[in-house]
mmCIF file of all heavy atoms in Angstrom:
data_model
loop_
_atom_site.group_PDB
_atom_site.id
_atom_site.type_symbol
_atom_site.label_atom_id
_atom_site.label_comp_id
_atom_site.label_asym_id
_atom_site.label_seq_id
_atom_site.Cartn_x
_atom_site.Cartn_y
_atom_site.Cartn_z
ATOM 1 N N LEU A 156 97.114 98.512 89.235
ATOM 2 C CA LEU A 156 97.810 99.626 89.880
ATOM 3 C C LEU A 156 96.848 100.466 90.707
ATOM 4 O O LEU A 156 97.156 100.860 91.828
ATOM 5 C CB LEU A 156 98.515 100.502 88.846
ATOM 6 C CG LEU A 156 99.785 99.932 88.249
ATOM 7 C CD1 LEU A 156 100.217 100.746 87.046
ATOM 8 C CD2 LEU A 156 100.888 99.891 89.290
ATOM 9 N N PHE A 157 95.670 100.734 90.154
ATOM 10 C CA PHE A 157 94.665 101.491 90.907
ATOM 11 C C PHE A 157 94.302 100.773 92.204
ATOM 12 O O PHE A 157 94.069 101.399 93.231
ATOM 13 C CB PHE A 157 93.396 101.698 90.083
ATOM 14 C CG PHE A 157 93.496 102.791 89.054
ATOM 15 C CD1 PHE A 157 93.234 102.519 87.726
ATOM 16 C CD2 PHE A 157 93.830 104.092 89.408
ATOM 17 C CE1 PHE A 157 93.314 103.517 86.766
ATOM 18 C CE2 PHE A 157 93.914 105.091 88.467
ATOM 19 C CZ PHE A 157 93.650 104.799 87.132
ATOM 20 N N GLU A 158 94.254 99.465 92.151
ATOM 21 C CA GLU A 158 93.809 98.665 93.291
ATOM 22 C C GLU A 158 94.880 98.486 94.364
ATOM 23 O O GLU A 158 94.586 97.982 95.439
ATOM 24 C CB GLU A 158 93.324 97.300 92.798
ATOM 25 C CG GLU A 158 92.070 97.405 91.943
ATOM 26 C CD GLU A 158 91.713 96.123 91.228
ATOM 27 O OE1 GLU A 158 92.428 95.107 91.382
ATOM 28 O OE2 GLU A 158 90.709 96.131 90.491
ATOM 29 N N THR A 159 96.122 98.898 94.090
ATOM 30 C CA THR A 159 97.193 98.713 95.070
ATOM 31 C C THR A 159 97.271 99.821 96.100
ATOM 32 O O THR A 159 98.146 99.812 96.951
ATOM 33 C CB THR A 159 98.571 98.599 94.371
ATOM 34 O OG1 THR A 159 98.820 99.800 93.651
ATOM 35 C CG2 THR A 159 98.659 97.390 93.478
ATOM 36 N N GLY A 160 96.376 100.789 96.023
ATOM 37 C CA GLY A 160 96.392 101.876 96.999
ATOM 38 C C GLY A 160 97.492 102.869 96.711
ATOM 39 O O GLY A 160 97.629 103.361 95.601
ATOM 40 N N ASP A 161 98.320 103.120 97.721
ATOM 41 C CA ASP A 161 99.380 104.118 97.584
ATOM 42 C C ASP A 161 100.391 103.784 96.495
ATOM 43 O O ASP A 161 101.042 104.683 95.957
ATOM 44 C CB ASP A 161 100.116 104.309 98.904
ATOM 45 C CG ASP A 161 99.286 105.052 99.928
ATOM 46 O OD1 ASP A 161 98.287 105.687 99.537
ATOM 47 O OD2 ASP A 161 99.646 105.002 101.109
ATOM 48 N N MET A 162 100.565 102.505 96.159
ATOM 49 C CA MET A 162 101.523 102.131 95.123
ATOM 50 C C MET A 162 101.193 102.822 93.806
ATOM 51 O O MET A 162 102.091 103.126 93.024
ATOM 52 C CB MET A 162 101.549 100.616 94.927
ATOM 53 C CG MET A 162 102.530 100.156 93.865
ATOM 54 S SD MET A 162 104.253 100.644 94.165
ATOM 55 C CE MET A 162 104.684 99.545 95.485
ATOM 56 N N PHE A 163 99.934 103.124 93.584
ATOM 57 C CA PHE A 163 99.548 103.810 92.356
ATOM 58 C C PHE A 163 100.319 105.112 92.185
ATOM 59 O O PHE A 163 100.675 105.486 91.065
ATOM 60 C CB PHE A 163 98.039 104.091 92.350
ATOM 61 C CG PHE A 163 97.614 104.910 91.173
ATOM 62 C CD1 PHE A 163 97.543 104.353 89.909
ATOM 63 C CD2 PHE A 163 97.325 106.252 91.318
ATOM 64 C CE1 PHE A 163 97.179 105.114 88.814
ATOM 65 C CE2 PHE A 163 96.949 107.017 90.236
ATOM 66 C CZ PHE A 163 96.873 106.448 88.979
ATOM 67 N N TYR A 164 100.621 105.771 93.276
ATOM 68 C CA TYR A 164 101.282 107.074 93.217
ATOM 69 C C TYR A 164 102.806 106.993 93.131
ATOM 70 O O TYR A 164 103.450 107.994 92.862
ATOM 71 C CB TYR A 164 100.880 107.919 94.424
ATOM 72 C CG TYR A 164 99.395 108.155 94.453
ATOM 73 C CD1 TYR A 164 98.572 107.419 95.293
ATOM 74 C CD2 TYR A 164 98.806 109.082 93.600
ATOM 75 C CE1 TYR A 164 97.203 107.624 95.300
ATOM 76 C CE2 TYR A 164 97.441 109.288 93.592
ATOM 77 C CZ TYR A 164 96.649 108.551 94.443
ATOM 78 O OH TYR A 164 95.299 108.741 94.433
ATOM 79 N N LYS A 165 103.362 105.804 93.368
ATOM 80 C CA LYS A 165 104.818 105.698 93.367
ATOM 81 C C LYS A 165 105.361 104.549 92.516
ATOM 82 O O LYS A 165 106.557 104.298 92.520
ATOM 83 C CB LYS A 165 105.336 105.582 94.796
ATOM 84 C CG LYS A 165 104.779 104.429 95.585
ATOM 85 C CD LYS A 165 105.263 104.476 97.026
ATOM 86 C CE LYS A 165 104.679 103.307 97.796
ATOM 87 N NZ LYS A 165 105.145 103.280 99.161
ATOM 88 N N TRP A 166 104.518 103.895 91.736
ATOM 89 C CA TRP A 166 104.951 102.703 91.018
ATOM 90 C C TRP A 166 106.076 102.974 90.016
ATOM 91 O O TRP A 166 106.960 102.153 89.859
ATOM 92 C CB TRP A 166 103.785 101.986 90.342
ATOM 93 C CG TRP A 166 103.211 102.678 89.143
ATOM 94 C CD1 TRP A 166 102.244 103.631 89.129
ATOM 95 C CD2 TRP A 166 103.581 102.467 87.781
ATOM 96 N NE1 TRP A 166 101.983 104.026 87.843
ATOM 97 C CE2 TRP A 166 102.783 103.328 86.993
ATOM 98 C CE3 TRP A 166 104.495 101.629 87.146
ATOM 99 C CZ2 TRP A 166 102.882 103.380 85.609
ATOM 100 C CZ3 TRP A 166 104.588 101.681 85.769
ATOM 101 C CH2 TRP A 166 103.794 102.537 85.010
ATOM 102 N N GLN A 167 106.066 104.131 89.356
ATOM 103 C CA GLN A 167 107.114 104.391 88.362
ATOM 104 C C GLN A 167 108.481 104.563 89.033
ATOM 105 O O GLN A 167 109.505 104.218 88.450
ATOM 106 C CB GLN A 167 106.760 105.593 87.503
ATOM 107 C CG GLN A 167 105.636 105.250 86.548
ATOM 108 C CD GLN A 167 105.427 106.319 85.509
ATOM 109 O OE1 GLN A 167 106.375 106.911 85.028
ATOM 110 N NE2 GLN A 167 104.177 106.548 85.161
ATOM 111 N N TYR A 168 108.495 105.079 90.215
ATOM 112 C CA TYR A 168 109.731 105.166 90.994
ATOM 113 C C TYR A 168 110.151 103.769 91.464
ATOM 114 O O TYR A 168 111.309 103.384 91.357
ATOM 115 C CB TYR A 168 109.513 106.106 92.180
ATOM 116 C CG TYR A 168 110.659 106.166 93.141
ATOM 117 C CD1 TYR A 168 111.794 106.906 92.846
ATOM 118 C CD2 TYR A 168 110.605 105.486 94.356
ATOM 119 C CE1 TYR A 168 112.857 106.963 93.736
ATOM 120 C CE2 TYR A 168 111.669 105.532 95.240
ATOM 121 C CZ TYR A 168 112.782 106.278 94.929
ATOM 122 O OH TYR A 168 113.827 106.317 95.806
ATOM 123 N N GLN A 169 109.182 103.016 91.964
ATOM 124 C CA GLN A 169 109.467 101.692 92.518
ATOM 125 C C GLN A 169 109.985 100.712 91.482
ATOM 126 O O GLN A 169 110.793 99.844 91.809
ATOM 127 C CB GLN A 169 108.223 101.113 93.194
ATOM 128 C CG GLN A 169 107.932 101.682 94.553
ATOM 129 C CD GLN A 169 109.041 101.431 95.537
ATOM 130 O OE1 GLN A 169 109.695 102.366 95.983
ATOM 131 N NE2 GLN A 169 109.284 100.197 95.887
ATOM 132 N N ILE A 170 109.534 100.823 90.218
ATOM 133 C CA ILE A 170 110.016 99.830 89.250
ATOM 134 C C ILE A 170 111.518 99.954 89.023
ATOM 135 O O ILE A 170 112.177 98.972 88.731
ATOM 136 C CB ILE A 170 109.256 99.849 87.904
ATOM 137 C CG1 ILE A 170 109.451 101.142 87.145
ATOM 138 C CG2 ILE A 170 107.810 99.500 88.082
ATOM 139 C CD1 ILE A 170 108.993 101.046 85.701
ATOM 140 N N ARG A 171 112.053 101.144 89.189
ATOM 141 C CA ARG A 171 113.509 101.292 89.052
ATOM 142 C C ARG A 171 114.229 100.538 90.160
ATOM 143 O O ARG A 171 115.253 99.900 89.927
ATOM 144 C CB ARG A 171 113.898 102.756 89.042
ATOM 145 C CG ARG A 171 113.438 103.458 87.783
ATOM 146 C CD ARG A 171 113.772 104.925 87.868
ATOM 147 N NE ARG A 171 113.263 105.632 86.727
ATOM 148 C CZ ARG A 171 114.030 106.274 85.857
ATOM 149 N NH1 ARG A 171 115.331 106.284 85.986
ATOM 150 N NH2 ARG A 171 113.492 106.912 84.850
ATOM 151 N N TRP A 172 113.698 100.602 91.376
ATOM 152 C CA TRP A 172 114.286 99.846 92.484
ATOM 153 C C TRP A 172 114.119 98.351 92.268
ATOM 154 O O TRP A 172 115.013 97.556 92.577
ATOM 155 C CB TRP A 172 113.667 100.256 93.821
ATOM 156 C CG TRP A 172 114.208 101.561 94.297
ATOM 157 C CD1 TRP A 172 113.551 102.761 94.325
ATOM 158 C CD2 TRP A 172 115.530 101.820 94.776
ATOM 159 N NE1 TRP A 172 114.382 103.742 94.796
ATOM 160 C CE2 TRP A 172 115.605 103.203 95.078
ATOM 161 C CE3 TRP A 172 116.646 101.027 94.981
ATOM 162 C CZ2 TRP A 172 116.773 103.787 95.576
ATOM 163 C CZ3 TRP A 172 117.800 101.620 95.474
ATOM 164 C CH2 TRP A 172 117.846 102.985 95.768
ATOM 165 N N MET A 173 112.984 97.953 91.727
ATOM 166 C CA MET A 173 112.761 96.531 91.476
ATOM 167 C C MET A 173 113.682 96.026 90.367
ATOM 168 O O MET A 173 114.131 94.879 90.400
ATOM 169 C CB MET A 173 111.297 96.259 91.138
ATOM 170 C CG MET A 173 110.340 96.512 92.305
ATOM 171 S SD MET A 173 110.769 95.613 93.827
ATOM 172 C CE MET A 173 111.665 96.862 94.765
ATOM 173 N N ALA A 174 114.020 96.884 89.403
ATOM 174 C CA ALA A 174 114.986 96.499 88.376
ATOM 175 C C ALA A 174 116.353 96.250 89.012
ATOM 176 O O ALA A 174 117.055 95.300 88.635
ATOM 177 C CB ALA A 174 115.075 97.573 87.302
ATOM 178 N N ILE A 175 116.726 97.055 89.985
ATOM 179 C CA ILE A 175 117.986 96.836 90.700
ATOM 180 C C ILE A 175 117.955 95.483 91.412
ATOM 181 O O ILE A 175 118.919 94.723 91.363
ATOM 182 C CB ILE A 175 118.257 97.987 91.698
ATOM 183 C CG1 ILE A 175 118.555 99.275 90.929
ATOM 184 C CG2 ILE A 175 119.398 97.623 92.662
ATOM 185 C CD1 ILE A 175 118.584 100.519 91.790
ATOM 186 N N GLU A 176 116.828 95.187 92.052
ATOM 187 C CA GLU A 176 116.691 93.892 92.730
ATOM 188 C C GLU A 176 116.773 92.745 91.730
ATOM 189 O O GLU A 176 117.415 91.724 92.000
ATOM 190 C CB GLU A 176 115.362 93.834 93.502
ATOM 191 C CG GLU A 176 115.295 94.776 94.685
ATOM 192 C CD GLU A 176 116.346 94.468 95.734
ATOM 193 O OE1 GLU A 176 116.571 93.279 96.052
ATOM 194 O OE2 GLU A 176 116.979 95.425 96.233
ATOM 195 N N LEU A 177 116.126 92.902 90.576
ATOM 196 C CA LEU A 177 116.176 91.860 89.546
ATOM 197 C C LEU A 177 117.602 91.665 89.023
ATOM 198 O O LEU A 177 117.996 90.552 88.689
ATOM 199 C CB LEU A 177 115.220 92.198 88.397
ATOM 200 C CG LEU A 177 113.733 92.073 88.731
ATOM 201 C CD1 LEU A 177 112.880 92.711 87.642
ATOM 202 C CD2 LEU A 177 113.339 90.613 88.946
ATOM 203 N N ARG A 178 118.370 92.734 88.974
ATOM 204 C CA ARG A 178 119.783 92.606 88.583
ATOM 205 C C ARG A 178 120.553 91.823 89.645
ATOM 206 O O ARG A 178 121.363 90.951 89.319
ATOM 207 C CB ARG A 178 120.405 93.984 88.382
ATOM 208 C CG ARG A 178 119.985 94.639 87.102
ATOM 209 C CD ARG A 178 120.743 95.937 86.890
ATOM 210 N NE ARG A 178 120.361 96.527 85.633
ATOM 211 C CZ ARG A 178 119.752 97.702 85.519
ATOM 212 N NH1 ARG A 178 119.460 98.420 86.588
ATOM 213 N NH2 ARG A 178 119.431 98.173 84.329
ATOM 214 N N LYS A 179 120.321 92.133 90.906
ATOM 215 C CA LYS A 179 121.000 91.417 91.993
ATOM 216 C C LYS A 179 120.676 89.929 91.955
ATOM 217 O O LYS A 179 121.508 89.094 92.307
ATOM 218 C CB LYS A 179 120.592 91.988 93.350
ATOM 219 C CG LYS A 179 121.157 93.359 93.637
ATOM 220 C CD LYS A 179 120.665 93.863 94.984
ATOM 221 C CE LYS A 179 121.130 95.268 95.276
ATOM 222 N NZ LYS A 179 120.575 95.774 96.549
ATOM 223 N N GLU A 180 119.462 89.607 91.542
ATOM 224 C CA GLU A 180 119.023 88.213 91.467
ATOM 225 C C GLU A 180 119.480 87.532 90.178
ATOM 226 O O GLU A 180 119.247 86.342 89.993
ATOM 227 C CB GLU A 180 117.499 88.146 91.571
ATOM 228 C CG GLU A 180 116.955 88.625 92.895
ATOM 229 C CD GLU A 180 115.449 88.815 92.902
ATOM 230 O OE1 GLU A 180 114.761 88.322 91.978
ATOM 231 O OE2 GLU A 180 114.948 89.467 93.830
#
């Protein structure tokens, strides 16, 4: 997470969106 740059600051928000994508899949 540290190595992903800006993702470090928004990953907890993004995982919720990725869960939605995983549901769609």
